[in-house]
Amino acid sequence: GHVSDARHPLSRLLNQMRDQRAAIILASICSVLNKIWDLAPPVLIGMAIDVVHQQEESFLADYGYTDPWVQLQVLAGITVAIWVLESLFQYFYGVLWRNLAQTAQHELRMDAYKHIQDLEMQWFSEQSTGGLMAIMNDDVNQLERFLDHGANDLLQVGTTVIVVSGIMFYLAPEVALLAIIPVPVIVGGSFLYQRRIGVRYSEVRKEVAELNAILNNNLQGITTIKSFTAEEREAKRVSDASQSYRDANRSAIRLSASFVPLIRMAILFAFTANLLVGGKYALEGKIGLGEYSVIVFITQRLLWPLTRLGETFDLYQRALASTTRVLDLLDTEVGVVEGDTSIEEVEGDIRFEDIRFTYPGREDVLRGIDLEVPAGKTVGLVGATGSGKTTLVRLLLRFHDPLEGKVSLDGHDVRTLKLDSLRGSISLVSQTTTLFPGTVRDNVLYGRPDASEEEMVEAARIAEATGFIDDLPEGWDTNIGEDGHRLSGGQRQRIAIARAVLKDAPVLVLDEATSNVDNETEAALQRSIDRISRDRTTLIIAHRLSTIRSADAIAVMEKGQITEMGSHDELVSQEGLYARLWSVQTGEASE
């Protein structure tokens, strides 16, 4: 279940960043103080003009500095102090906001990644890796960009409006009104405008995910692209996706760019009004020359930062669109809710009782399956591709839950078990081996990182992997590259078996573990399997019947049901599907 939250993305984000609250407040205070000192120079200019023009009657004279030259020196002193303070706070807010941006980015990415790891397989089958990459990279980075600059800009614009309005109302209320009139217009306009641009940025985020999905897929499938000489076609597919990303951005850019010129018009109005009305007051002697200069200078100070509001809102909207995507991901409910029972000593007795299961949008994969794998025994599963063999394994590991019926381990319904306890007691070797970037040693130790050197080597020996490992350029410390591209299929499969042996779990599941290797490797793997399946519950799914010939029992699956069951000899004598397959594979019958 995906729930779009009714709360505003900003409040959701602040909730997500609870631990950073103190840092946010501190950074905000520094931003505001920096801005207050930054607004002092126009006032100083006004005071300086006041000193030179009024001399003994100036504003400073009221404080006991009657000599105009001393007054200027006092002003110089104040100026130095103000500039130093402004620079200091600029340094502080720079460091604080940027570190905060990095922290927020790191934590959000980690939250998203951990949450993704907890989601069930069902959810994964509906996502594209590229799309998820876009969320964890691009979307999280948008937030960092906003915190880097945007948050500070928004705070400083706010401070400016408040401080400047205060100064102006103090000096000349009538003039102040004219300067302030455009502000609500500008801010209001900005909000209306960013509503519209927000929609466009959501569109942009969607396009970026599409583009990433295609790139990700193509980089993984480069062998296929080259073998079908489909480079042109794929380049066009990437180009189309990139183009629609560009178009989505283009419509946002058009809005974005038109924003500043519009604001400037509003500013022009305020500035000229002040120039004229303030000037008239100064001529009539209602306000002094110094005050008039403060008004002219500070109006410019007030209105100029507002032009940056466009960019800031732009950052803000991009960040919101992205943050919404990340937070929606975090709000995705985990479908497989784990139980709270842990089994201390797993015997390994597995039962499937009256199981019905179907993947969304497909016909039933399993229809009323009953299968028992007694503790310590080896059971083989055979059947055509798509007969539901692998699905049984996925239900046992609880990647999915059955629609009807139950799967149990040692008499416990797997839904009542802690996932650690359940999956920790099963070693899986599947037909697609995933190896991780790193050394051979890292990969074999994957299931039990604290195993000793002897145990590791022994596991490799059982998997008959020591031979080729010793021949590798750096032996156990050879880096096997991303997903083991430097090894052959058989070698990767042996590492996977060594990994499963070392995990030493009470239940062993081999899902077509020997399907994509040569005969010699298969014979070796066959010996390994015989060795490791002794004394432990073993479920073997196989294409080649020779792999499971010596199993205690063999189940034949057809179209989601078990149609025959028995030992090898019993099944051969029944002259059903198994007997036909056996004669085909041993070459006794011609197809």
Side-chain angles (χ1 to χ4, degrees), residues 568-587:
H568 171 78
D569 296 337
E570 288 165 23
L571 291 173
V572 171
S573 62
Q574 281 180 21
E575 298 184 9
L577 175 65
Y578 186 86
R580 282 203 305 282
L581 288 171
W582 178 251
S583 60
V584 168
Q585 288 196 11
T586 48

Side-chain angles (χ1 to χ4, degrees), residues 186-203:
I186 292 170
V187 175
S190 304
F191 272 114
L192 281 174
Y193 155 90
Q194 58 135 124
R195 275 271 161 68
R196 294 183 53 194
I197 205 165
V199 178
R200 301 194 181 186
Y201 279 130
S202 298
E203 198 48 46

